[in-house]
Amino acid sequence: MDYKIDLHTHTLASGHAYNTIDEMVNEAKRKGMTHLGITEHAPKMPGTCHEFYFQNLKVVERKRENLTLLLGSEVNIIDYEGNVDLPENLLKRLDIVIASLHTPCIKPGNVEENTSALVGAMKKSYVHIIGHPDDGRFPVDYETVVKAAKETHTLLEINNNSLRPSGPRVGTRENDIRMLKLCMEYEVPVIFGSDAHAACDIGNFGMIQPLIEEVGFPKELVANRSFEEIRALQQCKSISIG
């Protein structure tokens, strides 16, 4: 299936990506995408933008011809309670929020600590997606994570960059298979993310597709097929937690 929604990308503002917002938008339109999320790294990531950047996103036009632009952040989980590095009063104004564990921002803990960090982040009403929960440097209890995602209406990401053999994350293929099988068992949706740091990578789920086919993961549980379903999950989360 050709998915036209990609909610995890970065621009020059993140400090280690290579295109502007307009360049990303133009490439997304060229590829026929319907929704593009630009989620810059939050302030604790070395080299990224200041909190002021996120405060001022209101000035950027969201509707770009046939493309809807969503502007938000990939926030950093900074402790094992699941706290993140942007304040809630700002998070609630963003279009999309991904929460991730990154080694420059938190020291990998044991399975219990890392799991607690992800579950704690999911319990925050303005965290919509857990980014790359497949990173073996942060081992987690996937059954607990999947059950928490279902309870909190949070999407778990299958990250295309994680599956690149040259990437820094470890054990991702095996971890994704484990997580996908549990998501099938508990009927928990996932979302594909390119994690594009260059415009050419927008909508690139090429490493994910073979894995999905191998596992036999149903397309009905892939959130990228319907932005209305993504928005409904966001609203359910806001009501049930907020």
Side-chain angles (χ1 to χ4, degrees), residues 108-120:
N110 58 34
V111 170
E112 181 179 350
E113 290 169 330
N114 298 330
T115 303
S116 174
L118 292 188
V119 172

Side-chain angles (χ1 to χ4, degrees), residues 51-62:
E51 185 176 318
F52 293 165
Y53 177 92
F54 301 100
Q55 292 175 355
N56 202 40
L57 286 174
K58 61 183 180 294
V59 305
V60 183
E61 178 61 43
R62 301 306 204 266

Side-chain angles (χ1 to χ4, degrees), residues 6-124:
D6 187 0
L7 299 185
H8 187 171
T9 73
H10 301 273
T11 75
L12 285 166
S14 281
H16 56 274
Y18 300 97
N19 291 98
T20 65
I21 288 178
D22 283 346
E23 288 169 343
M24 298 290 276
V25 165
N26 289 337
E27 180 66 7
K29 289 194 296 185
R30 189 188 71 80
K31 290 182 173 180
M33 306 297 289
T34 62
H35 295 79
L36 174 68
I38 294 179
T39 48
E40 308 296 5
H41 286 289
K44 195 170 177 64
M45 178 66 74
T48 194
C49 41
H50 189 274
E51 185 176 318
F52 293 165
Y53 177 92
F54 301 100
Q55 292 175 355
N56 202 40
L57 286 174
K58 61 183 180 294
V59 305
V60 183
E61 178 61 43
R62 301 306 204 266
K63 194 64 180 175
R64 306 293 185 96
E65 297 175 5
N66 294 325
L67 177 76
T68 298
L69 180 63
L70 294 98
L71 297 177
S73 180
E74 183 181 13
V75 296
N76 300 290
I77 301 172
I78 57 175
D79 59 34
Y80 303 130
E81 287 72 50
N83 291 307
V84 299
D85 57 340
L86 284 176
E88 186 168 299
N89 66 344
L90 177 51
L91 292 176
K92 70 182 181 181
R93 304 204 302 267
L94 301 180
D95 301 329
I96 194 79
V97 176
I98 302 171
S100 304
L101 292 164
H102 291 114
T103 52
C105 304
I106 184 173
K107 180 181 178 181
N110 58 34
V111 170
E112 181 179 350
E113 290 169 330
N114 298 330
T115 303
S116 174
L118 292 188
V119 172
M122 283 190 261
K123 290 180 178 178
K124 298 185 181 305

